[in-house]
Amino acid sequence: MDNKDFANSHPGKAKKQEKGKFQSLIDFIYNAEEKTFLGRTGRSWFEITAFYIIFYSCLAGFFAINMAIFLKLTDTQTPRYYGKGSIIGINPGMGYQPWLRDDPESTLIYFNRSEPSTYKKYVDQLRQFYAKYKNLNDTRQCIGSNSSNRENTHIACAFDLIEHFESQGCGEKDDFGFKNATPCIVLTLNKLIGWEPVAYPKDSAPDAIKDHYNYSPPDVAIACEGEFPVDQEHIGPLQYIPPTGIPHKFFPYRVMPNYHQPFALVKFVGPPKGILIEVECKAYAYNIMHDRSYRLGMVHFELLIDS
């Protein structure tokens, strides 16, 4: 006999059974005879509450002590491990601008001189990149005896080449050379704490930079060329601004409130129209090694100017 048949044949017993279940729920919530709430007496609730208060207080205290020790031992200015033997290493890589955040995998710079909309994204990116150098707060002019970041580890040297770049047709008024089909590409070194360029021994500079390398002080020379013979044939004349590369006075890199990352420019003076050029740029100093597989000391991009 199922429950429905039992309820139909014994209505009194069914109601009593339902009442018993309801009373059990009431007794579980609060039992007047045993003086329990949710199955526990007042003393039991007090003991378990006190236990968890003490337990979580100890846990929070242990966490706070560990955080205090960690913060005490952590240098906010310099990582514990850097330089030789660290993951970061001692050999800087290179970067370039305009690098588009919306398309980070692409290294192609493609535009049509007669259609400003095709190079607007590059101009906007370079304008944004240049903008941070207009902020001169917490910077100083590096001249005379106080001429580099080595002498002062708290206030960075102001990057003072923007006006020079503009005078060479690589400023905002010229759309960074794009409107004249002579694009100016920014070349930077990755920031490695404590790293600074070392000059080549006399008469030992590579052939690629012998004509514009400055031995003392040791600037970071830049040289670009076509990656393959066909690219070298079509790349055309290049202008390096400044000619000696990235000035040494902005090294070594340190964590400073308004550090100005130094850079140099390569200007494509007469690139061909309608031909894709694969470009490889290298930074040169005695302590910069080049490795194409890991892109150490070099950077790659493609340039295509539509006719």
Side-chain angles (χ1 to χ4, degrees), residues 232-302:
Q232 296 168 11
E233 179 182 349
H234 293 104
I235 195 170
L238 303 174
Q239 179 185 357
Y240 299 103
I241 312 169
T244 55
I246 302 175
H248 78 289
K249 67 180 180 179
F250 300 104
F251 298 98
Y253 165 65
R254 303 182 190 279
V255 178
M256 300 179 183
N258 189 21
Y259 176 77
H260 283 185
Q261 183 182 14
F263 64 91
L265 297 176
V266 57
K267 182 177 182 179
F268 291 81
V269 179
K273 308 300 185 294
I275 299 177
L276 176 69
I277 304 172
E278 297 196 50
V279 183
E280 185 176 75
C281 295
K282 296 179 180 179
Y284 287 89
Y286 188 64
N287 55 339
I288 295 179
M289 296 180 294
H290 301 119
D291 188 316
R292 183 171 289 174
S293 60
Y294 291 100
R295 292 295 174 187
L296 295 178
M298 62 176 63
V299 70
H300 166 93
F301 58 90
E302 303 91 35

Side-chain angles (χ1 to χ4, degrees), residues 140-151:
R140 59 193 170 86
Q141 295 299 318
C142 290
I143 55 177
S145 60
N146 194 23
S147 60
S148 75
N149 282 342
R150 173 180 284 278
E151 281 74 26

Side-chain angles (χ1 to χ4, degrees), residues 108-262:
L108 174 64
I109 300 174
Y110 167 74
F111 67 98
N112 188 325
R113 173 187 177 182
S114 60
E115 298 180 16
S117 61
T118 62
Y119 57 79
K120 180 180 182 300
K121 56 187 177 182
Y122 302 119
V123 172
D124 289 344
Q125 177 61 30
L126 287 170
R127 184 180 293 114
Q128 181 181 350
F129 181 82
Y130 271 50
K132 59 187 175 184
Y133 295 94
K134 296 179 181 179
N135 178 11
L136 299 179
N137 294 331
D138 297 316
T139 62
R140 59 193 170 86
Q141 295 299 318
C142 290
I143 55 177
S145 60
N146 194 23
S147 60
S148 75
N149 282 342
R150 173 180 284 278
E151 281 74 26
N152 190 319
T153 61
H154 303 292
I155 303 177
C157 294
F159 191 72
D160 52 6
L161 295 176
I162 299 299
E163 291 185 3
H164 177 58
F165 293 154
E166 292 175 345
S167 69
Q168 300 298 310
C170 293
E172 286 191 44
K173 66 178 181 179
D174 295 298
D175 285 341
F176 306 99
F178 280 83
K179 73 177 184 180
N180 300 317
T182 56
C184 302
I185 307 301
V186 170
L187 298 173
T188 62
L189 283 182
N190 293 350
K191 294 181 284 189
L192 294 181
I193 290 179
W195 186 90
E196 56 185 322
V198 175
Y200 285 100
K202 194 68 174 177
D203 299 325
S204 66
D207 292 338
I209 60 168
K210 274 187 176 179
D211 59 338
H212 63 274
Y213 182 72
N214 187 7
Y215 287 91
S216 181
D219 294 341
V220 179
I222 301 293
C224 299
E225 63 178 359
E227 187 164 358
F228 303 103
V230 65
D231 302 309
Q232 296 168 11
E233 179 182 349
H234 293 104
I235 195 170
L238 303 174
Q239 179 185 357
Y240 299 103
I241 312 169
T244 55
I246 302 175
H248 78 289
K249 67 180 180 179
F250 300 104
F251 298 98
Y253 165 65
R254 303 182 190 279
V255 178
M256 300 179 183
N258 189 21
Y259 176 77
H260 283 185
Q261 183 182 14

